[in-house]
Amino acid sequence: MSKQSLKRKIGIIIDIIMYVLLLAQMLYIFTGNIAHEILGIVFFANLIGHIIIKSSWIKALLKGKIKFDSKARVFSTVVTMLLFVCIIALALSSMGVSRTLFPDITFLGYTDLHRYLATAVLTLAAIHGGMHGYFRAKKKKKAVVLICLAAAASMAIGLFAVPYMNRHLRKVEVQYSQAVEGEKINTGSKKPLVVYFTWLENSQVSHDTDAVSGASLLRADGELMGSNRLIADMLTDMLSCPKASIKVTGGKYPGTYSKTISVAGDELKEKARPSIEKVDVSGYDSIILVYPLWWGNIPMPVASFLESADTKGMDIYLVATQGSTGYGSSVKEIKSLADGSDVHEVVSIYCEDIPKAREVLFAKFKEIYKD
Ligand SMILES: Cc1cc2nc3c(=O)[nH]c(=O)nc-3n(C[C@H](O)[C@H](O)[C@H](O)COP(=O)(O)O)c2cc1C
C-alpha cells in the first residue's frame, strides 16, 4: 500500500471516529456530563490527527495550488472551511458550557448555541464525508441523494431528536435541602412575590409515575416535584418571600407529556384563557414569574394570571425553564399582557441545569435587590 493511500485510509477512519464521537456526545442524557466532556476532548484530539493527515492539502489550499475545476470541488472546499470554523466555535463553546473540566471558562457558554453548533458540525461533517464518496462515485446522482439524506438526518438529530430525548427521557433526582437552601438576600423594604406555574400541579399525572417516563418530572427526596416549583422554592428561600402557584380550576392537563403537548398547542392557537385560582398580588412591588416554555411561549394559564392580576406599576422578573428554546416568544407575549408593568428578563434555565440553578439565580437576584 502506498504512503498516500495509507494516509487516505487513516483519514477516513479518523473521519468516521469523529462522526461517531459527535453522535455519542449528542446522547449525553445517557452518557452523563463527565463522559460527554471526556468524549469532547477525544473528539478534538482526533481533529488534530485529522488536520495532521490533511496537512499537505491544507498547505496546497493556502498556496492556491488546489484546482477548483468543478462546482463540486468549490462546494466541497466551502463545506470544509465552514466545518472548520464551526468546529473551532464548538470547541470554544464546549469549554464555555463545561461544568467539570473547564468550570471557570464562561466565554460562549450558552447551551443553546452549543447545541446549534454541534448540529451544524454534525451536518457539515456528513456533507464533508459524503463529498469524498461523491468524487469517487460512478453514480453521482445517487451520491447526491445519499449526502442530502445524511445531512437531513444529522440536522434532525440535533434539532429534534436531542431536544425530544431531553424532554422525554430525562431522569432527575435531587436532594431537596441541598438544591434549595443556602445564602439569603436582603431585599430591604422591597416586597417580592414569587408566582410560578408547573405542569405537575396542573395535570392528572399519577404520583406513582416513574420520573423516567414523565418528561420534565424530577424527584426531590424521592417525591415527584415540578421543575418550576423547585425553582420557586429556591427563590423563596433566598429572598425569604412568599410564593403562589398558578393553578387551573377547570380540567387539568393530561397525565402524559405527549397528550399535554397537543392540548397546549391547541390552547396556544386558540389564545385560550383557562380559568385559574385567584392569585392575590396586592401589597407586593415585584413579581418573580417562574414558568416553563410551552411551544416556545408561556403556558396559557400564565396568560390567564397576567390578564387577571393587577400588576400595573410593578416590576415583573422573568425566570423561564425550557428544553432548548431560551425565552422563545414568551417575553414579547408577557410584555403585551402585562401592560403597565416593567418586565425584565432574568434567566432562562435549560432543564438539565434546573437542580443546580440556585447559584445562577442567587447571582442574578443579588444584583436586582442590591440596594
Ligand atoms: C406542553 C409542553 C410544551 C413544551 N414546549 C417546549 C418548547 O417549546 N420549548 C422548550 O424548550 N421546552 C418546551 N417544553 C419543556 C418544558 O419547558 C420544560 O421541560 C420545563 O422545565 C418543564 O417545567 P415543569 O416541569 O415545571 O412544568 C414543553 C413542555 C411541555 C409540557
Side-chain angles (χ1 to χ4, degrees):
M1 194 187 300
S2 70
K3 199 178 161 193
Q4 199 59 28
S5 89
L6 180 69
K7 260 191 173 182
R8 199 171 64 76
K9 284 206 170 123
I10 295 176
I12 291 171
I13 291 170
I14 292 184
D15 272 3
I16 294 170
I17 292 176
M18 285 175 74
Y19 194 83
V20 171
L21 280 172
L22 259 182
L23 273 179
Q25 284 179 88
M26 292 201 140
L27 299 175
Y28 70 96
I29 60 158
F30 301 115
T31 62
N33 184 56
I34 294 179
H36 179 76
E37 294 195 17
I38 292 170
L39 286 175
I41 300 281
V42 180
F43 175 82
F44 289 109
N46 268 273
L47 175 70
I48 294 168
H50 183 91
I51 290 173
I52 292 170
I53 299 255
K54 300 282 172 165
S55 57
S56 45
W57 181 86
I58 296 169
K59 274 184 207 151
L61 180 73
L62 293 176
K63 286 183 184 163
K65 287 185 181 166
I66 296 285
K67 279 191 199 136
F68 294 108
D69 47 7
S70 67
K71 280 183 186 160
R73 279 271 167 235
V74 176
F75 175 73
S76 174
T77 309
V78 169
V79 167
T80 306
M81 290 195 310
L82 264 179
L83 180 58
F84 184 71
V85 171
C86 287
I87 286 181
I88 297 301
L90 181 64
L92 294 173
S93 85
S94 301
M95 290 190 280
V97 296
S98 159
R99 297 195 202 101
T100 310
L101 300 180
F102 307 96
D104 299 326
I105 299 179
T106 52
F107 180 64
L108 288 183
Y110 308 103
T111 42
D112 283 352
L113 175 70
H114 184 63
R115 214 168 16 263
Y116 291 135
L117 283 169
T119 306
V121 169
L122 194 71
T123 308
L124 289 166
I127 303 173
H128 172 73
M131 287 309 288
H132 287 309
Y134 172 89
F135 290 121
R136 271 171 211 92
K138 287 198 180 91
K139 295 182 178 168
K140 300 288 188 204
K141 274 191 186 157
K142 194 176 164 192
V144 169
V145 171
L146 287 176
I147 292 170
C148 289
L149 284 176
S154 303
M155 239 191 259
I157 288 170
L159 295 182
F160 304 112
V162 171
Y164 179 91
M165 287 186 296
N166 279 339
R167 290 180 211 165
H168 285 72
L169 306 172
R170 203 166 41 90
K171 181 183 181 181
V172 186
E173 296 273 351
V174 293
Q175 275 183 294
Y176 183 81
S177 56
Q178 226 176 43
V180 165
E181 291 162 17
E183 220 182 319
K184 313 287 182 229
I185 295 168
N186 183 359
T187 57
S189 58
K190 292 179 181 163
K191 291 188 99 193
L193 171 70
V194 174
V195 178
Y196 72 97
F197 177 84
T198 184
W199 176 62
L200 189 69
E201 292 175 18
N202 290 283
S203 73
Q204 301 154 9
V205 73
S206 151
H207 279 250
D208 299 331
T209 306
D210 184 338
V212 180
S213 65
S216 86
L217 292 187
L218 58 80
R219 281 183 191 272
D221 294 348
E223 293 290 315
L224 276 181
M225 178 177 274
S227 306
N228 285 273
R229 159 74 190 276
L230 189 75
I231 297 283
D233 284 4
M234 291 176 190
L235 290 164
T236 52
D237 177 79
M238 73 181 70
L239 298 167
S240 309
C241 69
K243 68 170 184 266
S245 175
I246 299 172
K247 287 198 174 139
V248 293
T249 51
K252 287 195 165 192
Y253 290 97
T256 67
Y257 193 75
S258 45
K259 284 186 187 152
T260 303
I261 296 240
S262 114
V263 172
D266 290 345
E267 282 189 352
L268 183 64
K269 262 187 244 150
E270 291 158 11
K271 294 190 189 327
R273 293 295 178 259
S275 50
I276 57 165
E277 283 175 16
K278 185 176 161 43
V279 177
D280 189 1
V281 298
S282 55
Y284 300 98
D285 50 30
S286 52
I287 305 276
I288 302 170
L289 186 59
V290 184
Y291 60 95
L293 273 209
W294 279 15
W295 287 94
N297 208 319
I298 46 172
M300 289 300 100
V302 176
S304 303
F305 161 69
L306 289 165
E307 278 185 357
S308 60
D310 183 6
T311 57
K312 275 199 182 60
M314 284 177 146
D315 285 305
I316 302 184
Y317 296 106
L318 306 183
V319 176
T321 69
Q322 34 82 19
S324 67
T325 46
Y327 273 108
S329 47
S330 66
V331 179
K332 200 169 151 222
E333 182 81 7
I334 291 168
K335 282 186 175 163
S336 74
L337 291 168
D339 203 17
S341 320
D342 224 347
V343 177
H344 315 266
E345 289 178 30
V346 180
V347 60
S348 174
I349 305 166
Y350 179 50
C351 51
E352 200 174 291
D353 298 331
I354 290 169
K356 295 212 169 103
R358 198 186 193 281
E359 206 179 315
V360 67
L361 289 168
F362 185 83
K364 298 272 181 192
F365 281 98
K366 197 161 185 210
E367 263 310 292
I368 291 169
Y369 290 110
K370 68 182 168 197
D371 303 328

